Amino acid sequence: MSTQHTRRNFLLHTPVALGAIALALDTSRLQAESATTIPSSALLEPAFVNAQLQRSHAAPWKILQVGFHSMFDQKHIRGAMYAGPGSQPDGLALLRQTVQAWPHTQPILLYCGCCPWTHCPNIAPAWDQLQAMRFSSVKVLRIDNNFGADWADKGYPVA
Amino acid sequence: MPEPAQPSRRNLLQALTAGVFLYACPFAPTWASSIAARSPAPDFTRSSITNHTPVHLRAFRGKVVLINFWATWCGPCLAEIPQLVTWQNRYRAQGLQILGISMDDSSRAALDWVHRLSINYPVVMSDPRLSLLYGGILGLPVSFLVDRAGVVQRRYEGSIAGSQTEQELVRMLRQSSAKP
């Protein structure tokens, strides 16, 4: 194989390889911010939250959906407020605005459910934001698969 | 010519009762299962985000259509799209048509990823009405396999970039093309 041929192969393939690496890094970023960083003591299972909601007319928490509008518009936990996607600066700004007047002891339940738990890009940044704002009673709904499968399809309350 | 049968008061009452029951009953068909396999794929028309031309689902009748709901914020969605691009190239001649439906809140991010991933099939934006037509899309990725007659044969929840899905695709392409 000639040197010229090798150089041409290098020039042809290097941009493709670099592009693939860049794409892999970009998609893995979504995983790096996954929900697994949230301490297990803060996590609540859907069945438990549903039981709590059924038990009393007033929910024990302010419930915030920190996912995407297209999901919230279709269905959300009954009584939940939309607080913007935690993965985006605008979303975190809306979250800060939503909670800014609340006392730091206010019980809050965050949820998303856009994607499988380990791939959710929103929930961990939203949790971090409320920790940074010193909210002391924040819980997170652990949704293993997605909101449809783990909440709506189970007949839990939606609006 | 006989008059068409008038619905009796009893029939109306039964229909009304059934309607109220289905509305209120917690065991009524759930959100995700309300579009059943082997039912006609709900038709829709949306603009392509790349060239703004109308994309009619009905225009793909006669092809095997894989409808893929995705979003740029969904890691598993982005991870499986290169496989869909490969399938579109590999099985185009046999009659496969993939159609992407983005669940992003705006088309700008979706268009960026269409270019970055070299998506070679039409992509349109979703909206609450379109999501509802397909039973509600409350998690991603979600895909539907539609046969050449326009009937939904499978609903996939989660990633489809595996050999099993490809085998099902190939089987459907072969079965369908064998029909007169």
PDB file of all heavy atoms in Angstrom, chain B residues 41-76:
ATOM      1  N   ALA B  41     -53.464   1.949  11.528  1.00  0.00           N
ATOM      2  CA  ALA B  41     -52.609   3.027  12.048  1.00  0.00           C
ATOM      3  C   ALA B  41     -53.326   4.351  11.840  1.00  0.00           C
ATOM      4  O   ALA B  41     -53.735   4.673  10.716  1.00  0.00           O
ATOM      5  CB  ALA B  41     -51.278   3.032  11.309  1.00  0.00           C
ATOM      6  N   PRO B  42     -53.512   5.136  12.905  1.00  0.00           N
ATOM      7  CA  PRO B  42     -54.202   6.420  12.745  1.00  0.00           C
ATOM      8  C   PRO B  42     -53.482   7.305  11.736  1.00  0.00           C
ATOM      9  O   PRO B  42     -52.269   7.485  11.819  1.00  0.00           O
ATOM     10  CB  PRO B  42     -54.137   7.020  14.155  1.00  0.00           C
ATOM     11  CG  PRO B  42     -53.949   5.857  15.070  1.00  0.00           C
ATOM     12  CD  PRO B  42     -53.131   4.873  14.298  1.00  0.00           C
ATOM     13  N   ASP B  43     -54.251   7.811  10.786  1.00  0.00           N
ATOM     14  CA  ASP B  43     -53.645   8.612   9.717  1.00  0.00           C
ATOM     15  C   ASP B  43     -53.362  10.035  10.212  1.00  0.00           C
ATOM     16  O   ASP B  43     -54.051  10.540  11.106  1.00  0.00           O
ATOM     17  CB  ASP B  43     -54.596   8.662   8.515  1.00  0.00           C
ATOM     18  CG  ASP B  43     -53.881   9.167   7.275  1.00  0.00           C
ATOM     19  OD1 ASP B  43     -52.664   8.960   7.166  1.00  0.00           O
ATOM     20  OD2 ASP B  43     -54.548   9.794   6.422  1.00  0.00           O
ATOM     21  N   PHE B  44     -52.349  10.634   9.661  1.00  0.00           N
ATOM     22  CA  PHE B  44     -52.034  12.024  10.006  1.00  0.00           C
ATOM     23  C   PHE B  44     -51.198  12.640   8.899  1.00  0.00           C
ATOM     24  O   PHE B  44     -50.619  11.933   8.058  1.00  0.00           O
ATOM     25  CB  PHE B  44     -51.271  12.104  11.342  1.00  0.00           C
ATOM     26  CG  PHE B  44     -49.958  11.377  11.330  1.00  0.00           C
ATOM     27  CD1 PHE B  44     -48.802  11.982  10.884  1.00  0.00           C
ATOM     28  CD2 PHE B  44     -49.887  10.059  11.768  1.00  0.00           C
ATOM     29  CE1 PHE B  44     -47.592  11.305  10.869  1.00  0.00           C
ATOM     30  CE2 PHE B  44     -48.680   9.364  11.749  1.00  0.00           C
ATOM     31  CZ  PHE B  44     -47.536   9.996  11.300  1.00  0.00           C
ATOM     32  N   THR B  45     -51.183  13.951   8.882  1.00  0.00           N
ATOM     33  CA  THR B  45     -50.332  14.706   7.965  1.00  0.00           C
ATOM     34  C   THR B  45     -49.605  15.768   8.775  1.00  0.00           C
ATOM     35  O   THR B  45     -50.240  16.516   9.529  1.00  0.00           O
ATOM     36  CB  THR B  45     -51.169  15.396   6.869  1.00  0.00           C
ATOM     37  OG1 THR B  45     -51.887  14.392   6.144  1.00  0.00           O
ATOM     38  CG2 THR B  45     -50.276  16.166   5.908  1.00  0.00           C
ATOM     39  N   ARG B  46     -48.304  15.807   8.664  1.00  0.00           N
ATOM     40  CA  ARG B  46     -47.497  16.845   9.320  1.00  0.00           C
ATOM     41  C   ARG B  46     -46.403  17.266   8.346  1.00  0.00           C
ATOM     42  O   ARG B  46     -46.080  16.533   7.417  1.00  0.00           O
ATOM     43  CB  ARG B  46     -46.851  16.329  10.619  1.00  0.00           C
ATOM     44  CG  ARG B  46     -47.815  15.992  11.749  1.00  0.00           C
ATOM     45  CD  ARG B  46     -48.494  17.225  12.306  1.00  0.00           C
ATOM     46  NE  ARG B  46     -49.335  16.939  13.467  1.00  0.00           N
ATOM     47  CZ  ARG B  46     -50.553  16.422  13.420  1.00  0.00           C
ATOM     48  NH1 ARG B  46     -51.102  16.116  12.257  1.00  0.00           N
ATOM     49  NH2 ARG B  46     -51.252  16.229  14.522  1.00  0.00           N
ATOM     50  N   SER B  47     -45.811  18.435   8.590  1.00  0.00           N
ATOM     51  CA  SER B  47     -44.748  18.922   7.708  1.00  0.00           C
ATOM     52  C   SER B  47     -43.408  18.322   8.108  1.00  0.00           C
ATOM     53  O   SER B  47     -43.093  18.229   9.301  1.00  0.00           O
ATOM     54  CB  SER B  47     -44.645  20.441   7.799  1.00  0.00           C
ATOM     55  OG  SER B  47     -45.791  21.032   7.264  1.00  0.00           O
ATOM     56  N   SER B  48     -42.636  17.976   7.103  1.00  0.00           N
ATOM     57  CA  SER B  48     -41.264  17.531   7.345  1.00  0.00           C
ATOM     58  C   SER B  48     -40.466  18.696   7.937  1.00  0.00           C
ATOM     59  O   SER B  48     -40.580  19.829   7.466  1.00  0.00           O
ATOM     60  CB  SER B  48     -40.632  17.088   6.029  1.00  0.00           C
ATOM     61  OG  SER B  48     -39.230  17.108   6.131  1.00  0.00           O
ATOM     62  N   ILE B  49     -39.652  18.418   8.956  1.00  0.00           N
ATOM     63  CA  ILE B  49     -38.902  19.526   9.549  1.00  0.00           C
ATOM     64  C   ILE B  49     -37.688  19.897   8.697  1.00  0.00           C
ATOM     65  O   ILE B  49     -37.094  20.949   8.907  1.00  0.00           O
ATOM     66  CB  ILE B  49     -38.453  19.232  10.997  1.00  0.00           C
ATOM     67  CG1 ILE B  49     -37.465  18.071  11.047  1.00  0.00           C
ATOM     68  CG2 ILE B  49     -39.637  18.984  11.894  1.00  0.00           C
ATOM     69  CD1 ILE B  49     -36.817  17.930  12.428  1.00  0.00           C
ATOM     70  N   THR B  50     -37.338  19.040   7.739  1.00  0.00           N
ATOM     71  CA  THR B  50     -36.170  19.364   6.912  1.00  0.00           C
ATOM     72  C   THR B  50     -36.536  20.220   5.710  1.00  0.00           C
ATOM     73  O   THR B  50     -35.818  21.155   5.382  1.00  0.00           O
ATOM     74  CB  THR B  50     -35.466  18.083   6.428  1.00  0.00           C
ATOM     75  OG1 THR B  50     -36.442  17.228   5.850  1.00  0.00           O
ATOM     76  CG2 THR B  50     -34.767  17.393   7.574  1.00  0.00           C
ATOM     77  N   ASN B  51     -37.652  19.895   5.038  1.00  0.00           N
ATOM     78  CA  ASN B  51     -37.974  20.671   3.837  1.00  0.00           C
ATOM     79  C   ASN B  51     -39.408  21.230   3.837  1.00  0.00           C
ATOM     80  O   ASN B  51     -39.844  21.787   2.829  1.00  0.00           O
ATOM     81  CB  ASN B  51     -37.745  19.829   2.572  1.00  0.00           C
ATOM     82  CG  ASN B  51     -38.568  18.556   2.594  1.00  0.00           C
ATOM     83  OD1 ASN B  51     -39.516  18.430   3.366  1.00  0.00           O
ATOM     84  ND2 ASN B  51     -38.202  17.606   1.755  1.00  0.00           N
ATOM     85  N   HIS B  52     -40.115  21.042   4.934  1.00  0.00           N
ATOM     86  CA  HIS B  52     -41.456  21.614   5.141  1.00  0.00           C
ATOM     87  C   HIS B  52     -42.505  21.071   4.177  1.00  0.00           C
ATOM     88  O   HIS B  52     -43.584  21.656   4.048  1.00  0.00           O
ATOM     89  CB  HIS B  52     -41.415  23.150   5.069  1.00  0.00           C
ATOM     90  CG  HIS B  52     -40.401  23.739   5.993  1.00  0.00           C
ATOM     91  ND1 HIS B  52     -40.524  23.695   7.357  1.00  0.00           N
ATOM     92  CD2 HIS B  52     -39.218  24.362   5.745  1.00  0.00           C
ATOM     93  CE1 HIS B  52     -39.477  24.269   7.919  1.00  0.00           C
ATOM     94  NE2 HIS B  52     -38.652  24.672   6.964  1.00  0.00           N
ATOM     95  N   THR B  53     -42.204  19.987   3.477  1.00  0.00           N
ATOM     96  CA  THR B  53     -43.226  19.386   2.616  1.00  0.00           C
ATOM     97  C   THR B  53     -44.141  18.512   3.471  1.00  0.00           C
ATOM     98  O   THR B  53     -43.705  17.962   4.489  1.00  0.00           O
ATOM     99  CB  THR B  53     -42.592  18.523   1.505  1.00  0.00           C
ATOM    100  OG1 THR B  53     -41.760  17.546   2.130  1.00  0.00           O
ATOM    101  CG2 THR B  53     -41.774  19.373   0.553  1.00  0.00           C
ATOM    102  N   PRO B  54     -45.410  18.380   3.060  1.00  0.00           N
ATOM    103  CA  PRO B  54     -46.323  17.563   3.865  1.00  0.00           C
ATOM    104  C   PRO B  54     -45.930  16.087   3.831  1.00  0.00           C
ATOM    105  O   PRO B  54     -45.540  15.570   2.778  1.00  0.00           O
ATOM    106  CB  PRO B  54     -47.683  17.769   3.182  1.00  0.00           C
ATOM    107  CG  PRO B  54     -47.499  18.848   2.193  1.00  0.00           C
ATOM    108  CD  PRO B  54     -46.055  18.982   1.906  1.00  0.00           C
ATOM    109  N   VAL B  55     -46.014  15.455   4.964  1.00  0.00           N
ATOM    110  CA  VAL B  55     -45.774  14.013   5.065  1.00  0.00           C
ATOM    111  C   VAL B  55     -47.100  13.381   5.460  1.00  0.00           C
ATOM    112  O   VAL B  55     -47.617  13.638   6.554  1.00  0.00           O
ATOM    113  CB  VAL B  55     -44.698  13.701   6.128  1.00  0.00           C
ATOM    114  CG1 VAL B  55     -44.523  12.200   6.287  1.00  0.00           C
ATOM    115  CG2 VAL B  55     -43.380  14.373   5.768  1.00  0.00           C
ATOM    116  N   HIS B  56     -47.666  12.581   4.536  1.00  0.00           N
ATOM    117  CA  HIS B  56     -48.939  11.901   4.807  1.00  0.00           C
ATOM    118  C   HIS B  56     -48.641  10.447   5.130  1.00  0.00           C
ATOM    119  O   HIS B  56     -48.014   9.760   4.312  1.00  0.00           O
ATOM    120  CB  HIS B  56     -49.854  11.922   3.581  1.00  0.00           C
ATOM    121  CG  HIS B  56     -50.082  13.282   2.995  1.00  0.00           C
ATOM    122  ND1 HIS B  56     -51.022  14.150   3.497  1.00  0.00           N
ATOM    123  CD2 HIS B  56     -49.492  13.902   1.956  1.00  0.00           C
ATOM    124  CE1 HIS B  56     -51.001  15.264   2.769  1.00  0.00           C
ATOM    125  NE2 HIS B  56     -50.073  15.147   1.838  1.00  0.00           N
ATOM    126  N   LEU B  57     -49.092   9.966   6.261  1.00  0.00           N
ATOM    127  CA  LEU B  57     -48.875   8.550   6.571  1.00  0.00           C
ATOM    128  C   LEU B  57     -49.511   7.683   5.489  1.00  0.00           C
ATOM    129  O   LEU B  57     -48.952   6.685   5.056  1.00  0.00           O
ATOM    130  CB  LEU B  57     -49.460   8.206   7.951  1.00  0.00           C
ATOM    131  CG  LEU B  57     -49.292   6.739   8.344  1.00  0.00           C
ATOM    132  CD1 LEU B  57     -47.818   6.370   8.479  1.00  0.00           C
ATOM    133  CD2 LEU B  57     -50.022   6.430   9.643  1.00  0.00           C
ATOM    134  N   ARG B  58     -50.695   8.108   5.041  1.00  0.00           N
ATOM    135  CA  ARG B  58     -51.439   7.304   4.063  1.00  0.00           C
ATOM    136  C   ARG B  58     -50.651   7.110   2.759  1.00  0.00           C
ATOM    137  O   ARG B  58     -50.813   6.123   2.059  1.00  0.00           O
ATOM    138  CB  ARG B  58     -52.778   7.972   3.761  1.00  0.00           C
ATOM    139  CG  ARG B  58     -53.792   7.020   3.152  1.00  0.00           C
ATOM    140  CD  ARG B  58     -55.074   7.736   2.785  1.00  0.00           C
ATOM    141  NE  ARG B  58     -55.566   8.564   3.889  1.00  0.00           N
ATOM    142  CZ  ARG B  58     -56.489   9.502   3.754  1.00  0.00           C
ATOM    143  NH1 ARG B  58     -57.024   9.744   2.583  1.00  0.00           N
ATOM    144  NH2 ARG B  58     -56.896  10.202   4.791  1.00  0.00           N
ATOM    145  N   ALA B  59     -49.781   8.051   2.467  1.00  0.00           N
ATOM    146  CA  ALA B  59     -49.003   7.957   1.219  1.00  0.00           C
ATOM    147  C   ALA B  59     -48.028   6.786   1.251  1.00  0.00           C
ATOM    148  O   ALA B  59     -47.523   6.378   0.195  1.00  0.00           O
ATOM    149  CB  ALA B  59     -48.244   9.257   0.986  1.00  0.00           C
ATOM    150  N   PHE B  60     -47.759   6.242   2.442  1.00  0.00           N
ATOM    151  CA  PHE B  60     -46.817   5.124   2.548  1.00  0.00           C
ATOM    152  C   PHE B  60     -47.524   3.773   2.472  1.00  0.00           C
ATOM    153  O   PHE B  60     -46.900   2.735   2.697  1.00  0.00           O
ATOM    154  CB  PHE B  60     -46.030   5.206   3.857  1.00  0.00           C
ATOM    155  CG  PHE B  60     -45.200   6.459   3.979  1.00  0.00           C
ATOM    156  CD1 PHE B  60     -45.198   7.197   5.150  1.00  0.00           C
ATOM    157  CD2 PHE B  60     -44.431   6.898   2.914  1.00  0.00           C
ATOM    158  CE1 PHE B  60     -44.445   8.348   5.263  1.00  0.00           C
ATOM    159  CE2 PHE B  60     -43.674   8.052   3.010  1.00  0.00           C
ATOM    160  CZ  PHE B  60     -43.677   8.782   4.181  1.00  0.00           C
ATOM    161  N   ARG B  61     -48.838   3.789   2.216  1.00  0.00           N
ATOM    162  CA  ARG B  61     -49.581   2.530   2.092  1.00  0.00           C
ATOM    163  C   ARG B  61     -48.916   1.683   1.004  1.00  0.00           C
ATOM    164  O   ARG B  61     -48.559   2.181  -0.053  1.00  0.00           O
ATOM    165  CB  ARG B  61     -51.042   2.829   1.731  1.00  0.00           C
ATOM    166  CG  ARG B  61     -51.998   1.672   1.871  1.00  0.00           C
ATOM    167  CD  ARG B  61     -52.216   1.230   3.309  1.00  0.00           C
ATOM    168  NE  ARG B  61     -52.711   2.261   4.202  1.00  0.00           N
ATOM    169  CZ  ARG B  61     -54.001   2.562   4.384  1.00  0.00           C
ATOM    170  NH1 ARG B  61     -54.925   1.920   3.718  1.00  0.00           N
ATOM    171  NH2 ARG B  61     -54.345   3.491   5.248  1.00  0.00           N
ATOM    172  N   GLY B  62     -48.742   0.400   1.284  1.00  0.00           N
ATOM    173  CA  GLY B  62     -48.021  -0.479   0.357  1.00  0.00           C
ATOM    174  C   GLY B  62     -46.590  -0.718   0.814  1.00  0.00           C
ATOM    175  O   GLY B  62     -45.917  -1.611   0.315  1.00  0.00           O
ATOM    176  N   LYS B  63     -46.130   0.092   1.778  1.00  0.00           N
ATOM    177  CA  LYS B  63     -44.800  -0.118   2.354  1.00  0.00           C
ATOM    178  C   LYS B  63     -44.950  -0.596   3.797  1.00  0.00           C
ATOM    179  O   LYS B  63     -45.993  -0.402   4.429  1.00  0.00           O
ATOM    180  CB  LYS B  63     -44.001   1.184   2.345  1.00  0.00           C
ATOM    181  CG  LYS B  63     -43.712   1.703   0.946  1.00  0.00           C
ATOM    182  CD  LYS B  63     -42.801   2.913   0.998  1.00  0.00           C
ATOM    183  CE  LYS B  63     -42.438   3.316  -0.428  1.00  0.00           C
ATOM    184  NZ  LYS B  63     -41.353   4.277  -0.469  1.00  0.00           N
ATOM    185  N   VAL B  64     -43.906  -1.192   4.303  1.00  0.00           N
ATOM    186  CA  VAL B  64     -43.850  -1.479   5.743  1.00  0.00           C
ATOM    187  C   VAL B  64     -43.301  -0.219   6.407  1.00  0.00           C
ATOM    188  O   VAL B  64     -42.234   0.273   6.021  1.00  0.00           O
ATOM    189  CB  VAL B  64     -42.947  -2.692   6.033  1.00  0.00           C
ATOM    190  CG1 VAL B  64     -42.710  -2.841   7.528  1.00  0.00           C
ATOM    191  CG2 VAL B  64     -43.568  -3.963   5.457  1.00  0.00           C
ATOM    192  N   VAL B  65     -44.051   0.324   7.351  1.00  0.00           N
ATOM    193  CA  VAL B  65     -43.670   1.610   7.952  1.00  0.00           C
ATOM    194  C   VAL B  65     -43.282   1.393   9.424  1.00  0.00           C
ATOM    195  O   VAL B  65     -44.018   0.744  10.176  1.00  0.00           O
ATOM    196  CB  VAL B  65     -44.832   2.625   7.872  1.00  0.00           C
ATOM    197  CG1 VAL B  65     -44.406   3.967   8.461  1.00  0.00           C
ATOM    198  CG2 VAL B  65     -45.285   2.800   6.431  1.00  0.00           C
ATOM    199  N   LEU B  66     -42.132   1.916   9.771  1.00  0.00           N
ATOM    200  CA  LEU B  66     -41.702   1.905  11.177  1.00  0.00           C
ATOM    201  C   LEU B  66     -41.790   3.339  11.684  1.00  0.00           C
ATOM    202  O   LEU B  66     -41.037   4.213  11.237  1.00  0.00           O
ATOM    203  CB  LEU B  66     -40.267   1.380  11.292  1.00  0.00           C
ATOM    204  CG  LEU B  66     -39.718   1.251  12.707  1.00  0.00           C
ATOM    205  CD1 LEU B  66     -40.482   0.195  13.504  1.00  0.00           C
ATOM    206  CD2 LEU B  66     -38.235   0.893  12.678  1.00  0.00           C
ATOM    207  N   ILE B  67     -42.752   3.577  12.554  1.00  0.00           N
ATOM    208  CA  ILE B  67     -42.941   4.926  13.118  1.00  0.00           C
ATOM    209  C   ILE B  67     -42.177   4.994  14.435  1.00  0.00           C
ATOM    210  O   ILE B  67     -42.422   4.195  15.337  1.00  0.00           O
ATOM    211  CB  ILE B  67     -44.443   5.209  13.355  1.00  0.00           C
ATOM    212  CG1 ILE B  67     -45.216   5.115  12.037  1.00  0.00           C
ATOM    213  CG2 ILE B  67     -44.636   6.586  13.989  1.00  0.00           C
ATOM    214  CD1 ILE B  67     -46.739   5.223  12.207  1.00  0.00           C
ATOM    215  N   ASN B  68     -41.266   5.939  14.518  1.00  0.00           N
ATOM    216  CA  ASN B  68     -40.390   6.039  15.701  1.00  0.00           C
ATOM    217  C   ASN B  68     -40.590   7.387  16.394  1.00  0.00           C
ATOM    218  O   ASN B  68     -40.241   8.428  15.850  1.00  0.00           O
ATOM    219  CB  ASN B  68     -38.926   5.866  15.248  1.00  0.00           C
ATOM    220  CG  ASN B  68     -37.934   6.061  16.383  1.00  0.00           C
ATOM    221  OD1 ASN B  68     -37.097   6.952  16.351  1.00  0.00           O
ATOM    222  ND2 ASN B  68     -38.019   5.235  17.394  1.00  0.00           N
ATOM    223  N   PHE B  69     -41.184   7.350  17.582  1.00  0.00           N
ATOM    224  CA  PHE B  69     -41.288   8.559  18.407  1.00  0.00           C
ATOM    225  C   PHE B  69     -39.970   8.731  19.163  1.00  0.00           C
ATOM    226  O   PHE B  69     -39.512   7.794  19.834  1.00  0.00           O
ATOM    227  CB  PHE B  69     -42.446   8.436  19.402  1.00  0.00           C
ATOM    228  CG  PHE B  69     -43.810   8.612  18.788  1.00  0.00           C
ATOM    229  CD1 PHE B  69     -44.474   7.540  18.217  1.00  0.00           C
ATOM    230  CD2 PHE B  69     -44.432   9.861  18.775  1.00  0.00           C
ATOM    231  CE1 PHE B  69     -45.741   7.697  17.645  1.00  0.00           C
ATOM    232  CE2 PHE B  69     -45.693  10.028  18.213  1.00  0.00           C
ATOM    233  CZ  PHE B  69     -46.345   8.947  17.648  1.00  0.00           C
ATOM    234  N   TRP B  70     -39.370   9.904  19.066  1.00  0.00           N
ATOM    235  CA  TRP B  70     -38.067  10.144  19.686  1.00  0.00           C
ATOM    236  C   TRP B  70     -37.970  11.596  20.138  1.00  0.00           C
ATOM    237  O   TRP B  70     -38.877  12.404  19.882  1.00  0.00           O
ATOM    238  CB  TRP B  70     -36.946   9.839  18.683  1.00  0.00           C
ATOM    239  CG  TRP B  70     -36.884  10.810  17.530  1.00  0.00           C
ATOM    240  CD1 TRP B  70     -37.766  10.896  16.486  1.00  0.00           C
ATOM    241  CD2 TRP B  70     -35.924  11.852  17.332  1.00  0.00           C
ATOM    242  NE1 TRP B  70     -37.399  11.919  15.651  1.00  0.00           N
ATOM    243  CE2 TRP B  70     -36.270  12.528  16.138  1.00  0.00           C
ATOM    244  CE3 TRP B  70     -34.790  12.276  18.043  1.00  0.00           C
ATOM    245  CZ2 TRP B  70     -35.529  13.598  15.639  1.00  0.00           C
ATOM    246  CZ3 TRP B  70     -34.048  13.349  17.533  1.00  0.00           C
ATOM    247  CH2 TRP B  70     -34.432  13.987  16.340  1.00  0.00           C
ATOM    248  N   ALA B  71     -36.888  11.920  20.809  1.00  0.00           N
ATOM    249  CA  ALA B  71     -36.624  13.313  21.186  1.00  0.00           C
ATOM    250  C   ALA B  71     -35.128  13.487  21.412  1.00  0.00           C
ATOM    251  O   ALA B  71     -34.420  12.512  21.706  1.00  0.00           O
ATOM    252  CB  ALA B  71     -37.391  13.691  22.456  1.00  0.00           C
ATOM    253  N   THR B  72     -34.675  14.701  21.275  1.00  0.00           N
ATOM    254  CA  THR B  72     -33.233  14.956  21.403  1.00  0.00           C
ATOM    255  C   THR B  72     -32.763  14.802  22.846  1.00  0.00           C
ATOM    256  O   THR B  72     -31.579  14.617  23.085  1.00  0.00           O
ATOM    257  CB  THR B  72     -32.892  16.372  20.919  1.00  0.00           C
ATOM    258  OG1 THR B  72     -33.604  17.314  21.729  1.00  0.00           O
ATOM    259  CG2 THR B  72     -33.282  16.573  19.478  1.00  0.00           C
ATOM    260  N   TRP B  73     -33.687  14.917  23.816  1.00  0.00           N
ATOM    261  CA  TRP B  73     -33.309  14.791  25.218  1.00  0.00           C
ATOM    262  C   TRP B  73     -33.344  13.349  25.694  1.00  0.00           C
ATOM    263  O   TRP B  73     -33.120  13.083  26.876  1.00  0.00           O
ATOM    264  CB  TRP B  73     -34.197  15.666  26.097  1.00  0.00           C
ATOM    265  CG  TRP B  73     -35.645  15.759  25.683  1.00  0.00           C
ATOM    266  CD1 TRP B  73     -36.226  16.786  24.995  1.00  0.00           C
ATOM    267  CD2 TRP B  73     -36.687  14.805  25.916  1.00  0.00           C
ATOM    268  NE1 TRP B  73     -37.558  16.534  24.793  1.00  0.00           N
ATOM    269  CE2 TRP B  73     -37.874  15.325  25.356  1.00  0.00           C
ATOM    270  CE3 TRP B  73     -36.743  13.573  26.559  1.00  0.00           C
ATOM    271  CZ2 TRP B  73     -39.089  14.648  25.403  1.00  0.00           C
ATOM    272  CZ3 TRP B  73     -37.956  12.897  26.601  1.00  0.00           C
ATOM    273  CH2 TRP B  73     -39.099  13.434  26.026  1.00  0.00           C
ATOM    274  N   CYS B  74     -33.666  12.437  24.811  1.00  0.00           N
ATOM    275  CA  CYS B  74     -33.808  11.023  25.172  1.00  0.00           C
ATOM    276  C   CYS B  74     -32.567  10.258  24.698  1.00  0.00           C
ATOM    277  O   CYS B  74     -32.412  10.004  23.502  1.00  0.00           O
ATOM    278  CB  CYS B  74     -35.087  10.481  24.538  1.00  0.00           C
ATOM    279  SG  CYS B  74     -35.208   8.695  24.504  1.00  0.00           S
ATOM    280  N   GLY B  75     -31.689   9.919  25.640  1.00  0.00           N
ATOM    281  CA  GLY B  75     -30.448   9.230  25.296  1.00  0.00           C
ATOM    282  C   GLY B  75     -30.662   7.935  24.524  1.00  0.00           C
ATOM    283  O   GLY B  75     -30.042   7.728  23.473  1.00  0.00           O
ATOM    284  N   PRO B  76     -31.557   7.039  25.005  1.00  0.00           N
ATOM    285  CA  PRO B  76     -31.772   5.791  24.270  1.00  0.00           C
ATOM    286  C   PRO B  76     -32.292   6.030  22.840  1.00  0.00           C
ATOM    287  O   PRO B  76     -32.006   5.257  21.940  1.00  0.00           O
ATOM    288  CB  PRO B  76     -32.826   5.063  25.111  1.00  0.00           C
ATOM    289  CG  PRO B  76     -32.674   5.617  26.484  1.00  0.00           C
ATOM    290  CD  PRO B  76     -32.271   7.048  26.292  1.00  0.00           C
TER     291      PRO B  76
END
